[in-house]
Structure formats: structure tokens, C-alpha cells
Amino acid sequence: MDKFVQLIKAGEVVAFPTETVYGLGADAWNASAIKKVFDIKGRPSDNPLIVHISNREMIAEFAEDVSEEAEQLIEAFWPGPLTLIFNKKPAVLDLITAGLPTVALRWPDNELALQFINQTGPLVAPSANSSGRPSPTKTAHIKDDFGEDFPIIDGGETNIGLESTVLDVSEKPFRIYRPGAIGQKEIEAVADVSTELSTGVSGTRKAKSPGTKYSHYSPEAKVRWLKSEEKPDSSKTLYLFHHTDPGMVSDHIIFYRNNYDAMAKELYDRFRQADLKQLDAIAVEPFPADLLEEMSIAKALENRIQKAMG
Ligand code: TXA
Ligand code: MG
């Protein structure tokens, strides 16, 4: 751990595990280190970064106007897979926020991440993949994108496998820009506030969350929804079933038996594997509306799969 802390203090970039996906960390108060993050990922500079923190003092370092309802969410869900967007303190670097008046904060629920941030101070960290590739859930994914020798704190496979929920609490109603393991239901059960889902760029309104306009998470294989009554019949397609028993399973016909946590944990690895095997397509069983209402992780899965379709 010491050597990674030293790298951050020297203005370098280090990949570290969180409970969602691996992050590409840099000192949130060092502009040249933050520039390296954008360069390494090939990330457009108008897409802001999340600041990762590990205690309450760090909230006050970055955020202004923390409402009572936001406090309720912090109390209930931090550390955890929920990113909150606040009005920013004037000193927060524009590089982080892409010039927006707000800043995204997240207190990750991962022991190694917390030990690391305790020693380095707040870290900006986008997902540790090259722009346009699926987020990394294993160290091998990071090595595939950035090379064998890239500095990585090895925390094994990440727990959740999909990125955090992004919730704007700078204005009411609160807005979910990116659905995740913590959904609208869980949020509204804790905070006395209404929330809206706002995951796309609609009409002429400027994207409030710039990340939503980029197609992330894209494998080379064409991702599509399985047609009704369609049977798995191509060895060049990966089939992902979650509810309906396909009647047979193989290394390219997967059945999750309603275990949506398991599906979330594996999704990005499946995407990357499909490309390594040079498959033509990934066909996913569609999610019924009642399931999407009921289960936040299913909603998050559907969102990422939809995004991978471009
Ligand atoms: O689970 C996660 O959140 C992972 C781990 C590493 O913590 N991080 C992650 O970061 O997914 P990234 O950079 O890949 O996605 C951050 C998203 C982007 O869609 C970005 O546009 C949005 O958060 N975002 C960041 N700051 C924002 C702000 N001030 N206003 C609106 N959206 C913001
Ligand atoms: Mg990302």
C-alpha cells in the first residue's frame, strides 16, 4: 500500500478497487495528476469526475449547501454505491467538474479503498477503463486496457460489478442521472423528497450529467435484446437469460435463475470475454416492466445493456 500512496503523492495515477468497479485514482488537489487521468483514459475533458472520500471532513472540503434530505442519504448509504452531486466549494478545481457549478462525491464501501484514501486524501477516480470500454471489475481488465505494468491495488473481483448510482441533490426534486444498486425506492424510503429519473439527453436541454451522452460500456460484439420465442442457435452469439430457462446451458448460453446480483457482477466480464472470443453478438433476455420497478439492480443492468447497444 505504501508504494501506491507515494505514487499518488508524487502526482501519479493508481488504479484501486471499490465495491462497484475499479477506479483510476489521482490527487483531487493536483491539476497535473488529474490531467493524466483524462489522458490515460482518453476521456473528453467535458465529462466531470467523481471525488472519492473517506470521512465527513472531506465532504465539507468539496460540497456546499448540504440539505437535510442529503444528510439523511449520507447517513443511510455512505459508505456505499451512491454518488451525490452537490453545489461545489469555489476552490474545487474546474478540471474535476468540467466547469459545472456542482461536484460529485462518493464514499466507497471497500476496505482497501478506504485505507488508501485515508492516507492519500481525496482522490478523483473515474472507472479504470479506456474510454468506450466496459468498466473493469478485475485487475486483468485494467491490464488489458493500460498494460501489464500499470500500478494497481489488487482487491480481487469487485463486489457489485456496476457503477454507483449518480444522484443530483443540488436541486429538488433530486435527479438520478445513472441508476445503480441503490435505486429510487431505497432513496425515497430514506429521504423525504421526490426523485426523478433523468438518464438521457432529452430535447434541447443541455445534458446535466455530461456522462449520459457518451456511449460507454461498449463491447465490439453487437449487443441486442433477445426476440420473443427466439432460441439460442448461433455459436457466434453469447446468450444471457435471467428469468426464462433456456433449457440448456453452455459457455455461451448463460442462465442466472433470477440472481440479478450475480448477473450484475459478471456483466462487464462477459462483454470483454465476448470480444476476446470474437463473438458477433450478445443477446440478452429483455427485462419486464414490473421487475424494473421492483428491483434496482435490474434497472441498473437494463440501463448498462441499453447503453452498450449505442
Ligand atoms: O462506481 C463508480 O461510480 C465508479 C467507481 C470507480 O467509483 N466511478 C465511475 O466514474 O463510474 P465515471 O467517471 O466512470 O462516471 C462518473 C459519472 C459520469 O457519467 C459523469 O458525467 C458523472 O458521473 N458526473 C460527475 N460529476 C458530475 C457533476 N458534477 N454533474 C453531473 N454528473 C457528473
Ligand atoms: Mg466510466
Side-chain angles (χ1 to χ4, degrees), residues 187-207:
I187 292 165
E188 291 184 353
V190 161
D192 188 17
V193 65
S194 65
T195 59
E196 277 174 11
L197 206 63
S198 167
T199 55
V201 202
S202 55
T204 53
R205 211 188 49 173
K206 189 172 177 283

Side-chain angles (χ1 to χ4, degrees), residues 20 43 47-48 52 85 102 104 106 126-127 163-164 178 209 211:
T20 57
R43 182 181 179 106
N47 195 0
H52 292 61
I85 296 177
T102 53
R106 166 158 141 72
S127 51
E163 306 84 348
S164 62
R178 183 173 72 184
S209 187

Side-chain angles (χ1 to χ4, degrees), residues 213-275:
K213 75 174 183 243
Y214 297 106
S215 123
H216 293 280
Y217 325 114
S218 280
E220 298 289 317
K222 181 181 157 50
V223 182
R224 63 173 177 81
W225 296 117
L226 198 79
K227 297 179 205 72
S228 67
E229 306 300 312
E230 180 182 348
K231 295 276 174 282
D233 62 358
S234 162
S235 60
K236 296 292 274 177
T237 297
L238 170 68
Y239 296 91
L240 300 179
F241 290 84
H242 46 81
H243 181 70
T244 307
D245 192 338
M248 56 170 155
V249 293
S250 69
D251 61 352
H252 71 111
I253 306 172
I254 315 296
F255 180 33
Y256 288 103
R257 300 181 182 278
N258 301 308
N259 187 343
Y260 295 95
D261 291 338
M263 187 174 182
K265 193 165 178 160
E266 282 188 4
L267 184 75
Y268 290 146
D269 189 54
R270 294 275 176 205
F271 281 2
R272 283 177 181 258
Q273 291 291 336
D275 283 348

Side-chain angles (χ1 to χ4, degrees), residues 35-171:
K35 281 204 192 86
K36 286 181 193 166
V37 170
F38 282 96
D39 285 350
I40 291 170
K41 274 187 70 94
R43 182 181 179 106
S45 61
D46 66 348
N47 195 0
L49 303 175
I50 299 171
V51 179
H52 292 61
I53 60 169
S54 62
N55 61 49
R56 288 211 160 246
E57 289 69 52
M58 294 180 188
I59 302 175
E61 211 176 309
F62 292 88
E64 226 159 55
D65 313 323
V66 178
S67 65
E68 206 174 303
E69 294 84 354
E71 267 300 336
Q72 294 171 323
L73 296 175
I74 290 171
E75 198 53 49
F77 297 119
W78 278 3
L82 176 66
T83 295
L84 297 176
I85 296 177
F86 300 97
N87 287 328
K88 74 176 190 86
K89 284 268 160 69
V92 178
L93 296 173
D94 278 336
L95 263 175
I96 299 179
T97 63
L100 293 171
T102 53
V103 65
L105 296 186
R106 166 158 141 72
W107 185 336
D109 187 15
N110 174 288
E111 211 32 63
L112 287 171
L114 295 174
Q115 273 179 37
F116 190 43
I117 301 166
N118 280 336
Q119 294 177 69
T120 57
L123 297 175
V124 294
S127 51
N129 52 283
S130 324
S131 255
R133 299 273 292 152
S135 292
T137 57
K138 296 177 172 176
T139 59
H141 299 158
I142 305 170
K143 291 177 180 173
D144 281 348
D145 285 7
F146 302 136
E148 277 299 317
D149 297 329
F150 199 84
I152 305 171
I153 300 176
D154 189 347
E157 195 181 352
T158 56
N159 232 333
I160 295 177
L162 299 179
E163 306 84 348
S164 62
T165 306
V166 176
L167 180 71
D168 188 342
V169 298
S170 71
E171 275 176 0

